[in-house]
Amino acid sequence: MTDDSFLTIGKKKGEGYYTEKRSKFLAFSHHVETADQAKEIVAEYRKKYFDARHVCWAYMLGAERNDFRANDDGEPSSTAGKPILGQINSHNLTNILIVVIRYYGGVNLGTSGLIVAYRTAAALAIDDSDIEECIVEEIIDYSFTYVMMNDVMKIVKDMQPRIVSQNYDNTCEIRLAIRKSQAEALRKRLSKLSFGNEE
């Protein structure tokens, strides 16, 4: 993995099931892009599993992985949300929400038992998910005259950016998306063209 890629899960919901001393832990992983999306999904689980004792969760967002939250939902502090988040971190994932629903079985598990249970349930949901690598792209807009077309297309062919849009009129415009680590090199080659000294 490079600094311009990140791991996330696919659209398929992952599921895990763990039981300990008659307490049942149902775990679900979801691909999410925003905190609001994560909160909506948690709210749906609260409705669906209204009879459960706890609905605990954690999410991580963004390629930099610095937007995250964890919630114990009434379990002793750091025994639920934190172990769930720990599994997200140990798999290096982002843009993911994991919800773990607990049905209490009448026997207290103690803090270490709870941590193990939530961690295991979260890990099972991740194992059931499709992990994907995503590339962090940068968008580059470039305007040029029609006579420069062949030179521009040669650079596109060489560097293989994704063509987002193109418009060939009196002035030609092209919008390119390229892997972040290659954006600077692409900019340099295009700006050389503008000054007429690309070999």
Side-chain angles (χ1 to χ4, degrees):
M1 276 231 326
T2 55
D3 61 355
D4 61 357
S5 68
F6 60 89
L7 294 176
T8 187
I9 62 168
K11 297 289 179 237
K12 176 181 90 74
K13 176 173 72 173
E15 296 185 13
Y17 176 75
Y18 180 75
T19 174
E20 178 68 33
K21 293 180 181 160
R22 297 204 302 276
S23 271
K24 293 189 186 90
F25 297 84
L26 316 177
F28 303 95
S29 62
H30 289 264
H31 180 88
V32 289
E33 303 278 340
T34 64
D36 286 345
Q37 206 182 346
K39 283 173 194 149
E40 272 170 36
I41 293 169
V42 170
E44 281 165 25
Y45 278 112
R46 281 195 199 290
K47 257 188 255 164
K48 187 174 177 185
Y49 295 97
F50 63 91
D51 56 339
R53 177 73 72 93
H54 305 280
V55 178
C56 306
W57 51 269
Y59 67 68
M60 174 74 71
L61 299 170
E64 286 80 35
R65 301 181 75 253
N66 53 18
D67 182 0
F68 55 88
R69 276 198 64 192
N71 187 304
D72 295 316
D73 192 38
E75 292 282 31
S77 179
S78 299
T79 60
K82 215 171 170 183
I84 298 170
L85 187 62
Q87 284 303 309
I88 293 172
N89 283 327
S90 70
H91 287 80
N92 228 359
L93 294 166
T94 190
N95 291 356
I96 182 175
L97 162 73
I98 297 180
V99 181
V100 181
I101 291 132
R102 179 188 182 193
Y103 281 95
Y104 183 59
V107 181
N108 288 340
L109 302 183
T111 51
S112 60
L114 285 172
I115 290 167
V116 168
Y118 280 101
R119 188 171 60 211
T120 306
L124 291 169
I126 291 171
D127 290 344
D128 190 46
S129 306
D130 300 322
I131 293 177
E132 299 174 353
E133 184 177 0
C134 293
I135 305 302
V136 180
E137 290 183 323
E138 241 176 76
I139 297 287
I140 296 173
D141 290 310
Y142 186 64
S143 301
F144 55 97
T145 58
Y146 198 77
V147 290
M148 295 161 71
M149 172 76 75
N150 285 346
D151 296 329
V152 171
M153 284 307 155
K154 181 185 184 304
I155 293 173
V156 168
K157 190 166 172 268
D158 288 352
M159 295 197 69
Q160 302 279 306
R162 190 162 57 80
I163 298 174
V164 179
S165 63
Q166 45 196 340
N167 177 22
Y168 305 125
D169 212 6
N170 297 342
T171 311
C172 302
E173 287 166 356
I174 194 165
R175 168 168 276 204
L176 302 169
I178 193 163
R179 199 175 178 131
K180 199 174 168 190
S181 56
Q182 297 174 323
E184 197 45 44
L186 179 59
R187 269 200 200 89
K188 275 190 182 139
R189 285 191 65 178
L190 290 170
S191 68
K192 270 185 183 173
L193 267 192
S194 302
F195 298 110
N197 59 1
E198 166 89 0
E199 291 70 55

